[in-house]
Amino acid sequence: MPNNKRKNRGNKNKEVTMTPSNEKDTPIQDYEDDDIEEMQEADLKKLIRTLRSSQKQILELHKSLMDKIENLSRENEILRRNQNETKQLVQQETVIVTEVKNSIDQMKNTIESLTNRMGEAEERISDLEDREQERIQSDQRKEEEIRNLKHIVGNLQDTIKKTNIRVLGVPEGMEGEKGLEGLFSEILAENFPGLEKDREILVQEAHRTPNKHDQKRSSPRHVVIKLSTVKHKEKILKCAREKRQITLRGSPIRLTADFSSETLKARREWRDIAQVLRENNCQPRILYPAKLSFVNEGEIKTFHCKQKLKEFVATRPALQKMLKDVLHTETQKHGHQYERR
């Protein structure tokens, strides 16, 4: 009977299954107190081992769960901090974007203002350039008018002085009682005896220039003799060129035509070119009022300005080689004068 009771009570036992972590499922029986009393020592030890094993598994499972909870808590804290940091970053970025937007708006306004001011400045500059161009054109017209007036005045002076002879080198006070007219007659008698007897040669006026004598001036003032006709002036100057050495009481003097300052300047500009032509036997002459004449390839060529001479020289290789240096020097001089202006 006791065996049957154990069997029946054994049938009443329920199987309870626990699944500890990291081990296979192990069935654990639910024992009554009577059953435990009737169990053999071996079975009891086995039960104790099972219970200890289950307790160990439960503790490990609890520890594992606590670790997971702790990890989840840490992760949650990290996530919460990240969320806060992200929120702060978003707020900062929002502030930065707002500031950048405001800065961009300010820059747009500044650029627009500068663009407007640049437009106004360009208009002013354009107006100033137009005025400057008008001023330059006006100055050019004035310079052209001045040149034309100087040319007209020079022509008038040359016309007035067309019958004049200028005597250079006559000492101050030599005229004495004879006067300048008597002194000129003495020059003709000393150098051109035949002309002195020509009664048609009449002196209309004689004077020194400038009118006032400068004591600091080392050279004597020029004597200007005004004759009655151009023919007589040319005749006397021709004789002077032929004789070459003109004297007054044994001292050398010079006889030249009397020109305006503009004409004298124009004649001087031919001087270096005429010197080179003379050295090459081209028989140069400076004709009235300021024209250059010389012989080239058996023909007499005459030029009233250097530009025409340059154009002609460009067609004559030999002449171009001859005048290359002097014409180049003249070009440089005019270039420097233009720069100084």
Side-chain angles (χ1 to χ4, degrees):
M1 289 297 291
N3 291 331
N4 290 333
K5 285 181 180 180
R6 281 197 296 269
K7 290 180 181 178
N8 291 331
R9 279 197 290 264
N11 292 331
K12 291 179 182 179
N13 291 338
K14 296 179 181 179
E15 291 184 355
V16 179
T17 304
M18 297 182 64
T19 311
S21 61
N22 302 325
E23 292 189 9
K24 295 183 179 180
D25 295 343
T26 303
I28 301 174
Q29 294 180 349
D30 188 11
Y31 296 97
E32 298 291 339
D33 293 339
D34 294 339
D35 292 337
I36 294 173
E37 290 176 0
E38 295 178 0
M39 289 178 64
Q40 298 294 326
E41 184 180 354
D43 294 333
L44 185 58
K45 290 180 178 181
K46 183 178 181 182
L47 176 60
I48 291 171
R49 285 196 301 272
T50 302
L51 289 173
R52 287 179 178 175
S53 177
S54 299
Q55 184 182 14
K56 184 179 179 181
Q57 292 175 0
I58 290 169
L59 290 173
E60 291 178 353
L61 179 60
H62 179 267
K63 184 179 178 182
S64 176
L65 289 174
M66 292 303 294
D67 291 341
K68 289 183 178 180
I69 290 171
E70 187 178 353
N71 290 334
L72 288 174
S73 178
R74 283 198 300 267
E75 290 176 358
N76 186 47
E77 179 65 23
I78 293 171
L79 181 60
R80 186 181 63 79
R81 287 200 301 268
N82 290 340
Q83 287 177 346
N84 292 334
E85 291 177 357
T86 303
K87 186 177 180 180
Q88 291 176 356
L89 289 174
V90 170
Q91 291 175 349
Q92 292 176 359
E93 289 178 357
T94 303
V95 173
I96 292 172
V97 169
T98 304
E99 292 177 352
V100 170
K101 185 177 179 181
N102 293 336
S103 298
I104 291 173
D105 292 338
Q106 291 178 358
M107 290 177 65
K108 285 181 179 179
N109 294 333
T110 303
I111 291 171
E112 185 177 357
S113 176
L114 289 174
T115 302
N116 293 334
R117 292 176 65 182
M118 286 178 63
E120 294 175 358
E122 288 176 354
E123 290 179 0
R124 292 179 182 177
I125 291 171
S126 179
D127 292 340
L128 290 174
E129 288 177 347
D130 293 340
R131 293 178 184 177
E132 180 66 14
Q133 187 63 30
E134 291 175 359
R135 187 191 66 78
I136 292 173
Q137 292 176 354
S138 176
D139 290 344
Q140 290 176 345
R141 287 193 296 270
K142 288 179 181 178
E143 289 178 359
E144 183 65 25
E145 290 175 359
I146 291 171
R147 282 194 295 269
N148 291 336
L149 288 173
K150 285 183 177 180
H151 183 67
I152 292 170
V153 170
N155 287 339
L156 288 173
Q157 289 178 341
D158 289 334
T159 301
I160 294 170
K161 297 180 178 185
K162 200 168 185 179
T163 60
N164 292 357
I165 290 178
R166 188 173 285 251
V167 185
L168 287 71
V170 178
E172 295 283 344
M174 182 177 279
E175 53 269 30
E177 296 180 358
K178 288 184 178 180
L180 293 174
E181 294 181 8
L183 201 62
F184 183 68
S185 298
E186 186 178 343
I187 292 171
L188 294 181
E190 184 175 335
N191 295 278
F192 320 112
L195 293 179
E196 194 270 334
K197 296 178 182 180
D198 190 344
R199 299 298 178 185
E200 294 182 358
I201 298 178
L202 300 176
V203 177
Q204 293 184 340
E205 182 184 342
H207 65 275
R208 284 189 182 269
T209 182
N211 293 330
K212 293 183 178 181
H213 177 54
D214 186 0
Q215 298 295 335
K216 296 179 180 179
R217 184 185 176 99
S218 58
S219 59
R221 291 176 294 168
H222 296 177
V223 176
V224 177
I225 305 297
K226 185 175 182 61
L227 301 177
S228 58
T229 64
V230 175
K231 178 182 177 182
H232 294 147
K233 181 198 79 170
E234 294 294 342
K235 189 174 183 180
I236 292 171
L237 292 178
K238 181 180 179 181
C239 292
R241 285 193 297 270
E242 292 173 352
K243 191 173 186 298
R244 294 188 178 182
Q245 183 66 42
I246 309 299
T247 60
L248 174 60
R249 299 177 187 177
S251 299
I253 60 172
R254 285 179 58 200
L255 300 181
T256 67
D258 188 25
F259 298 107
S260 66
S261 59
E262 290 295 319
T263 301
L264 283 173
K265 181 180 177 182
R267 289 173 71 89
R268 289 192 192 103
E269 289 181 353
W270 291 117
R271 187 175 299 169
D272 294 339
I273 297 174
Q275 180 62 31
V276 174
L277 292 171
R278 189 174 294 108
E279 291 172 357
N280 288 273
N281 298 321
C282 294
Q283 303 174 26
R285 289 185 61 192
I286 299 177
L287 304 178
Y288 181 87
K291 294 183 288 186
L292 176 67
S293 173
F294 61 91
V295 177
N296 178 253
E297 297 180 356
E299 297 181 2
I300 297 176
K301 300 293 181 180
T302 303
F303 303 93
H304 68 277
C305 68
K306 290 183 180 179
Q307 183 59 37
K308 294 295 182 182
L309 174 62
K310 290 178 181 178
E311 293 174 0
F312 176 77
V313 168
T315 64
R316 300 291 192 277
L319 194 59
Q320 187 176 18
K321 183 178 180 181
M322 183 193 305
L323 298 176
K324 179 179 66 175
D325 293 338
V326 67
L327 288 178
H328 179 68
T329 303
E330 290 292 330
T331 303
Q332 286 183 329
K333 285 182 181 178
H334 286 294
H336 293 321
Q337 290 175 357
Y338 180 79
E339 288 177 0
R340 284 196 294 270
R341 290 177 184 176

